[in-house]
């Protein structure tokens, strides 16, 4: 069963079963969707090119062999075909560059965002600051994963819920809202990445990078740091709860009350 | 002709015996052999580190090593494989092959040649010794990105000094290659009549001279940042951590082609030999290699698309990176056209060369995908990237080196390897290399970052497969060592022209060739 699955996946990577995830998630934001669509477009183009080139090779290997008595031909150059197989790939590349450039321009346009969240990377946790609402907290790996991941912990990590992908304080973001995320770091370079919300960007100490998300579906989305940041690089997960706008503002209200209570 | 050469040679060179022969040798074949043996040893050292990585990643959870040591393994594995295994192997092949391919008695600068080899063992002894330091070896990745690399312990200055030495060795080797090729060709061998392997090495040597000093500059700046209070890469002092990445990859991308252009040369030599047909489009192969080399200097930032560049910069580097597909495509098409209507046989070197074309092309496809910036924001720093560069480096560069060894070993030693065992080695290697690296595409796309010692459980199955593949691959290479020793034990039986379809001056020499190769330059028409 499993071997047949592997074969199936090698031949048809997109038809894989859920527990054998083989492809990029399409995600829930405009940026993750264009990334996915572009990924699939290029994937299919390369599959077609691959089939053509490898078939020609295979045909040659099967039929043009000495053991079949095939005599070698004498040709060894042709300016015409060299021009053809320079120009055709160029045209294909232009066809790929146009949608890629369009998508990129869209992804880098952080204007007109409604709320701004500043994310700061630390060794090894994240700080989230909601700049408009003056809400701020740290988020690090949840205790259960943190205990289980120790060398010699003797915990079956397969039984830990969301092993290495769970945090103590999740980020809460509203759906259907353009959220600008400012990224920086306090010590070394980190990278903030939740695959279903689109691409990653580096959090660099002393500099501010930005990206934006506009989450279309409520839910919980998980990711982790994607730039080597020291010994616990593998243990700084990111969890985003996407909720409707009213729920989001309710959450912001609670955070503010808690903060006031704490300060008293 | 070959008997004449025998009489001329081997009577007037006085070499010390024993270990001093190897320490003092200025002979291109001795030095070539030392480079190749050194490379093989480093291939196993780096391979063992890879197996530590794969053993830890076999199952989720930490079972064997602590994360800090895991990071030392990923860092060292890369440094050892790049600077210790692949680059010295190509320099070894250059040493053996360039003089006998261009009709020269030796390399142009034999003493320099000795020096450039003997730097290597010292550099690697120093680099590897850091693993035994109390604070461990370098653990910030072979790319040494600051500020993380500046957190390194005692290993930091040792790593940097050894990188300086490796760079020095490479630059000296490159100077020798250029001097040899430009000055010592046989009369009549114009540039456009040179064997294609010689061409690819000439271009590679220029890449080395242009890029290695840049790396030296980058790591020196790290050193002064750490010990002398400069702030090149520290934002609080007016520096910029991203600037290091720009400088590093300005070296790093030409470096990538240093690791693959000689492989192109090898494959372009072997495919025609076993197709019994001339290389299709020799001129366009030369121009394509040169174009790839020139493009390598204007694509560096595609290694760092997520660093936060201006939109115009991202678009520029995306377009230039995509352009590389054109000369690379030309090469693949020319190889296929060389096979087309040939008269092929499938000895071990040919099998490795054919697998190179297929698997390198797969690595090229994922490279093209990675060039698409919007998709790269997802791929970047995941196992998809790990799969990509291992496909171009292992079934790419390493397969080409294996092909070259099988192809020229009978020439070098006069002894024929066991063809059946060679083919077995090929099939085991090819099956396991795919079992190791193909699943990495899947976990990378599904969201597994690279350089992590432990992972979320949804990535477990493919990681287990990759680990099984890695151990299979490693064990298969023991067979390669057996084949080498088994061959060396045999009697000299190989003909001058070992392969029916082989072309080139090296096949006019006896097997093994005389100590001073061509004492009288052959005439090339």
């Amino acid at each position: 069963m499993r071997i047949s699955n592997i074969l199936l996946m090698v031949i048809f990577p997109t038809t894989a079963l859920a527990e054998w995830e083989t492809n990029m998630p399409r995600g829930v934001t405009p940026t993750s969707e264009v990334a996915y669509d572009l990924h699939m477009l290029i994937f299919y183009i390369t599959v077609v090119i691959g089939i053509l080139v490898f078939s020609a090779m295979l045909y040659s290997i099967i039929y043009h062999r000495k053991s079949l008595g095939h005599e070698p031909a004498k040709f060894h150059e042709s300016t015409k075909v060299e021009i053809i197989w320079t120009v055709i790939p160029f045209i294909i590349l232009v066809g790929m560059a146009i949608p890629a450039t369009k998508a990129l321009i869209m992804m880098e346009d952080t204007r007109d965002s409604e709320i701004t969240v500043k994310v700061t990377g630390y060794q090894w946790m994240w700080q989230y600051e909601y700049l408009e609402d003056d809400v701020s907290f740290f988020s690090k790996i949840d205790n259960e994963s943190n205990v289980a991941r120790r060398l010699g912990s003797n915990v079956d990590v397969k039984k830990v819920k969301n092993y290495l992908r769970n945090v103590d304080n999740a980020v809460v973001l509203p759906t259907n809202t353009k959220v600008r995320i400012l990224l920086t770091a306090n010590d070394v370079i980190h990278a903030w990445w939740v695959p279903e919300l689109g691409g990653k960007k580096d959090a660099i100490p002393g500099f501010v990078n930005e990206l934006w998300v506009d989450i279309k579906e409520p839910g919980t989305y998980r990711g982790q740091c994607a730039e080597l940041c020291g010994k616990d690089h593998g243990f700084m997960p990111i969890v985003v709860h996407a909720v409707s706008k009213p729920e989001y503002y309710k959450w912001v209200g609670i955070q503010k009350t808690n903060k006031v209570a704490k300060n008293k | 002709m070959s008997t004449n050469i025998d009489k001329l040679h081997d009577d007037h060179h006085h070499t010390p015996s024993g270990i001093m022969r190897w320490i003092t040798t200025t002979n291109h074949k001795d030095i070539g052999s030392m480079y190749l043996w050194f490379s093989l040893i480093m291939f196993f050292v780096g391979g063992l580190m890879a197996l530590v990585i794969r053993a830890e990643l076999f199952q989720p959870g930490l079972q064997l090593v602590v994360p800090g040591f895991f990071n030392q393994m990923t860092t060292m594995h890369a440094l050892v494989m790049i600077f210790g295994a692949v680059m010295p192997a190509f320099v070894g092949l250059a040493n053996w092959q360039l003089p006998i391919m261009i009709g020269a008695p030796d390399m142009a600068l034999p003493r320099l040649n000795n020096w450039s080899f003997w730097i290597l063992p010292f550099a690697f002894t120093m680099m590897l010794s850091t693993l035994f330091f109390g604070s461990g070896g370098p653990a910030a990745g072979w790319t040494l990105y600051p500020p993380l690399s500046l957190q390194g312990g005692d290993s930091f200055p040792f790593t940097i000094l050894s990188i300086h030495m490796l760079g020095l060795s490479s630059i000296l080797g490159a100077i020798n290659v250029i001097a040899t090729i430009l000055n010592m060709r046989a009369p009549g061998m114009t540039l456009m009549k040179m064997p294609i392997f010689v061409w690819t090495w000439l271009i590679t040597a220029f890449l080395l001279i242009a890029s290695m000093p840049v790396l030296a500059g980058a790591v020196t700046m790290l050193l002064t940042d750490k010990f002398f209070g400069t702030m090149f890469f520290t934002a609080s002092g007016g520096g910029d951590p991203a600037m290091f990445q720009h400088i590093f990859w300005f070296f790093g991308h030409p470096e990538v082609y240093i690791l693959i252009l000689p492989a192109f040369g090898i494959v372009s030599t072997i495919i025609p030999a076993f197709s019994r047909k001339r290389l299709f489009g020799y001129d366009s192969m030369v121009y394509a290699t040169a174009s790839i080399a020139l493009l390598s200097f204007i694509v560096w930032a595609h290694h760092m698309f997520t660093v936060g560049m201006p939109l115009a910069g991202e678009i520029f580097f995306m377009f230039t990176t995509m352009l590389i597909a054109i000369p690379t495509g030309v090469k693949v098409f020319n190889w296929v056209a060389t096979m087309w209507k040939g008269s092929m046989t499938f000895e071990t070197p040919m099998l490795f060369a054919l697998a190179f074309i297929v698997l390198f092309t797969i690595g090229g496809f994922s490279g093209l995908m990675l060039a698409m910036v919007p998709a790269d924001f997802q791929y970047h720093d995941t196992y998809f990237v790990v799969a990509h560069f291992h496909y171009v480096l292992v079934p790419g560069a390493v397969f080409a080196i294996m092909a070259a060894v099988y192809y020229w070993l009978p020439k070098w030693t006069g002894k024929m390897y066991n063809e059946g065992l060679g083919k077995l080695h090929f099939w085991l290697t090819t099956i396991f290399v795919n079992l190791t690296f193909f699943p990495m595409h899947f976990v990378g796309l599904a969201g597994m970052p690279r350089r992590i010692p432990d992972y979320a459980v949804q990535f477990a199955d493919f990681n287990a497969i990759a680990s099984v593949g890695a151990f299979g691959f490693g064990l298969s290479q023991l067979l390669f060592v057996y084949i080498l020793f088994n061959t060396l034990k045999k009697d000299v039986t190989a003909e001058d022209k070992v392969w029916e379809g082989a072309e080139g001056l090296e096949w006019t020499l006896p097997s093994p060739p005389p100590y001073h190769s061509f004492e009288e330059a052959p005439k090339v028409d």
Side-chain angles (χ1 to χ4, degrees):
Chain A
M1 169 68 189
R2 282 207 156 166
I3 290 168
S4 66
N5 279 352
I6 298 166
L7 280 177
L8 192 73
M9 277 174 306
V10 171
I11 302 161
F12 304 107
T14 50
T15 61
L17 303 173
E19 70 266 32
W20 289 83
E21 191 55 66
T22 55
N23 203 0
M24 185 191 287
R26 187 149 199 274
V28 290
T29 64
T31 50
S32 72
E33 283 169 10
V34 293
Y36 175 85
D37 293 343
L38 197 63
H39 158 71
M40 291 315 294
L41 172 72
I42 311 302
F43 173 70
Y44 285 124
I45 290 174
T46 58
V47 167
V48 171
I49 297 171
I51 289 172
L52 292 175
V53 173
F54 297 150
S55 313
M57 235 180 116
L58 196 65
Y59 182 88
S60 192
I61 287 171
I62 293 172
Y63 293 104
H64 304 149
R65 51 167 74 207
K66 197 186 174 196
S67 56
L68 295 178
H70 195 274
E71 287 292 317
K74 295 284 173 222
F75 67 87
H76 61 85
E77 61 187 346
S78 160
T79 311
K80 207 189 340 177
V81 298
E82 299 286 354
I83 291 172
I84 290 171
W85 62 42
T86 306
V87 171
I88 291 177
F90 185 78
I91 294 168
I92 298 172
L93 287 177
V94 171
M96 283 156 55
I98 292 169
T101 308
K102 274 188 192 154
L104 187 61
I105 291 170
M106 185 272 271
M107 288 169 109
E108 293 290 352
D109 183 1
T110 54
R111 288 172 299 178
D112 306 322
S113 59
E114 282 181 53
I115 62 170
T116 303
V117 180
K118 182 179 161 212
V119 181
T120 309
Y122 291 81
Q123 285 174 313
W124 291 272
M125 66 185 97
W126 299 98
Q127 185 188 17
Y128 297 95
E129 292 167 88
Y130 293 70
L131 297 185
E132 287 87 355
D133 294 304
D134 198 25
V135 169
S136 159
F137 57 89
F138 286 90
S139 173
K140 60 178 193 302
I141 189 166
D142 74 315
N143 200 42
E144 197 187 358
S145 290
N146 201 29
V147 169
R149 63 111 171 165
R150 303 275 163 197
L151 187 62
S153 69
N154 291 325
V155 178
D156 181 4
V157 298
K158 286 183 176 157
K159 295 207 174 92
V160 177
K161 202 166 173 244
N162 294 312
Y163 177 61
L164 299 187
R165 289 276 169 118
N166 211 358
V167 293
D168 52 0
N169 299 308
V171 197
V172 177
L173 292 177
T175 51
N176 295 310
T177 309
K178 187 165 181 178
V179 180
R180 187 164 68 128
I181 296 173
L182 301 179
L183 288 157
T184 187
N186 191 51
D187 34 44
V188 300
I189 301 174
H190 303 266
W192 196 83
W193 183 37
V194 180
E196 284 171 308
L197 304 188
K200 61 187 75 65
K201 202 147 244 187
D202 290 353
I204 302 172
F207 291 81
V208 178
N209 272 332
E210 51 182 14
L211 58 82
W212 64 276
V213 297
D214 187 351
I215 305 168
K216 296 299 175 196
E217 287 192 34
T220 302
Y221 305 105
R222 297 171 196 277
Q224 65 187 96
C225 178
E227 176 69 50
L228 178 62
C229 59
K231 72 180 171 69
D232 284 351
H233 161 56
F235 310 102
M236 47 187 291
I238 299 157
V239 178
V240 175
H241 286 314
V243 296
S244 67
K245 235 179 196 169
E247 275 181 81
Y248 168 74
Y249 281 110
K250 210 164 97 190
W251 175 82
V252 169
I254 296 168
Q255 301 303 308
K256 283 183 168 171
T257 329
N258 289 350
K259 195 177 168 188
V260 173
K262 247 187 225 166
N263 289 347
K264 275 178 185 167
Chain B
M1 177 178 172
S2 58
T3 46
N4 273 342
I5 286 169
D6 271 344
K7 277 178 194 154
L8 282 166
H9 285 274
D10 293 326
D11 48 2
H12 60 276
H13 62 87
H14 329 272
T15 48
S17 56
I19 184 76
M20 285 312 284
R21 172 191 167 188
W22 299 102
I23 291 174
T24 60
T25 184
T26 54
N27 181 272
H28 74 100
K29 300 188 194 72
D30 288 351
I31 295 172
S33 301
M34 288 197 293
Y35 265 111
L36 289 168
W37 282 114
F38 179 81
S39 153
L40 187 65
I41 293 165
M42 285 296 135
F43 183 56
F44 278 93
V45 171
L48 279 176
M49 293 170 178
L51 292 186
V52 171
I53 294 169
R54 283 317 321 169
E56 180 52 64
L57 292 174
F58 180 60
Q59 288 286 301
L62 289 178
Q63 292 87 18
L64 301 170
V65 296
V66 292
F69 186 73
F70 183 90
N71 290 345
Q72 293 173 31
M73 287 291 104
T74 54
T75 304
M76 279 294 198
H77 165 70
L79 288 169
V80 168
M81 286 302 198
I82 293 168
F83 293 104
V86 176
M87 288 172 72
F90 283 135
V91 181
L93 292 170
N95 259 294
W96 255 105
Q97 288 306 124
L98 294 181
I100 61 177
M101 286 177 126
I102 63 173
D106 204 309
M107 296 292 277
L109 309 164
R111 292 183 185 181
L112 190 80
N113 204 9
N114 173 292
W115 191 28
S116 44
F117 170 76
W118 276 109
I119 290 174
L120 287 182
F122 292 96
F124 271 98
T125 306
M126 178 152 58
M127 188 186 279
L128 292 170
S129 70
T130 61
L131 287 173
F132 302 98
F133 288 8
S135 54
W142 81 281
T143 50
L144 299 168
Y145 283 5
L148 182 64
S149 62
L150 297 173
Q151 293 181 346
D154 296 340
S155 67
F156 184 78
F158 288 85
T159 310
I160 286 183
L161 187 56
S162 51
I163 288 173
H164 273 305
M165 290 166 72
L166 297 172
L168 186 66
S169 162
S170 297
I171 292 168
L172 297 179
I175 290 171
N176 207 350
V177 165
I178 293 172
T180 306
I181 295 173
L182 294 186
N183 294 305
M184 306 207 25
R185 277 170 287 129
M189 184 181 277
T190 57
L191 285 176
M192 291 311 276
K193 278 186 189 165
M194 290 196 308
I196 196 84
F197 178 71
V198 179
W199 253 117
T200 54
W201 240 113
L202 180 64
I203 292 167
T204 304
F206 278 103
L207 287 182
L208 277 165
I209 287 185
S211 69
M212 279 295 160
V214 180
L215 175 67
V219 296
T220 306
M221 288 155 92
L222 280 182
L223 200 67
T224 60
D225 265 17
K226 170 107 175 163
F227 295 107
F228 303 110
T230 56
M231 296 275 185
F232 292 116
F233 309 127
T234 310
S236 58
D240 182 353
M243 184 174 72
F244 176 85
Q245 301 184 20
H246 283 286
I247 301 171
F248 181 88
W249 287 113
F250 188 82
F251 142 79
H253 204 77
E255 169 68 20
V256 172
Y257 294 147
I258 289 163
L259 300 173
I260 203 65
L261 293 186
F264 288 167
I266 292 163
V267 171
S268 304
T269 308
I270 291 174
I271 297 285
F274 295 95
S275 303
R276 290 163 184 76
K277 191 161 155 278
R278 268 176 73 182
L279 178 67
F280 187 84
Y282 171 91
D283 292 11
S284 73
M285 286 301 231
V286 172
Y287 300 141
T289 311
S291 317
I292 293 171
L294 290 175
L295 281 171
S296 77
F297 288 104
I298 53 166
V299 298
W300 76 88
H302 70 217
H303 294 269
M304 39 186 287
F305 277 138
T306 64
V307 85
M309 271 179 285
L311 177 65
E314 288 175 338
I315 292 174
F316 172 80
F317 285 109
M318 173 165 73
F319 288 175
T320 53
T321 304
M322 291 169 75
L323 280 180
I324 294 175
I326 294 172
T328 316
V330 166
K331 287 193 153 287
V332 174
F333 300 142
N334 279 336
W335 288 324
V336 176
T338 304
M339 286 183 251
W340 191 256
K341 291 192 186 284
S343 176
M344 275 192 271
T345 52
F346 303 93
E347 290 85 344
T348 312
M350 181 63 161
L351 290 175
F352 272 106
L354 291 172
F356 171 97
I357 298 178
V358 174
L359 300 176
F360 175 82
T361 302
I362 290 174
F365 286 150
S366 56
L368 187 58
M369 296 169 80
L370 284 156
M372 303 288 128
V373 186
D376 180 77
F377 288 155
Q378 292 280 20
Y379 306 138
H380 182 88
D381 262 335
T382 67
Y383 261 82
F384 189 76
V385 178
V386 178
H388 160 71
F389 66 72
H390 280 95
Y391 258 84
V392 290
L393 280 177
V394 185
V398 174
F399 270 34
I401 293 164
M402 301 260 178
V405 169
Y406 282 111
Y407 184 61
W408 282 307
L409 191 63
K411 168 53 63 186
W412 299 336
T413 61
K415 301 164 186 183
M416 195 63 195
Y417 64 88
N418 183 319
E419 189 63 59
L421 287 179
K423 282 182 176 157
L424 179 66
H425 173 230
F426 165 77
W427 284 110
L428 289 173
T429 304
T430 303
I431 290 165
F432 284 122
V433 90
N434 285 294
L435 200 62
T436 310
F437 297 116
F438 211 83
M440 292 185 185
H441 290 113
F442 299 144
V443 284
L445 290 174
M448 178 171 163
R450 60 191 286 210
R451 293 170 165 171
I452 56 173
D454 191 5
Y455 47 82
V457 292
Q458 68 262 36
F459 307 128
D461 297 322
F462 284 126
N463 270 292
I465 293 175
S467 292
V468 170
F471 276 85
F473 181 85
L475 290 173
S476 310
Q477 303 323 307
L478 296 176
L479 178 60
F480 180 57
V481 176
Y482 174 78
I483 292 169
L484 289 178
F485 280 103
N486 185 42
T487 309
L488 293 177
K489 271 196 328 212
K490 290 183 179 177
D491 296 327
V492 174
T493 54
E495 296 163 24
D496 293 2
K497 192 178 171 186
V498 179
W499 310 106
E500 187 191 15
E503 299 282 345
L505 288 176
E506 74 263 42
W507 307 107
T508 64
L509 288 171
S511 307
Y515 199 68
H516 292 297
S517 304
F518 289 96
E519 195 149 273
E520 261 178 67
K523 184 93 183 81
V524 179
D525 8 79

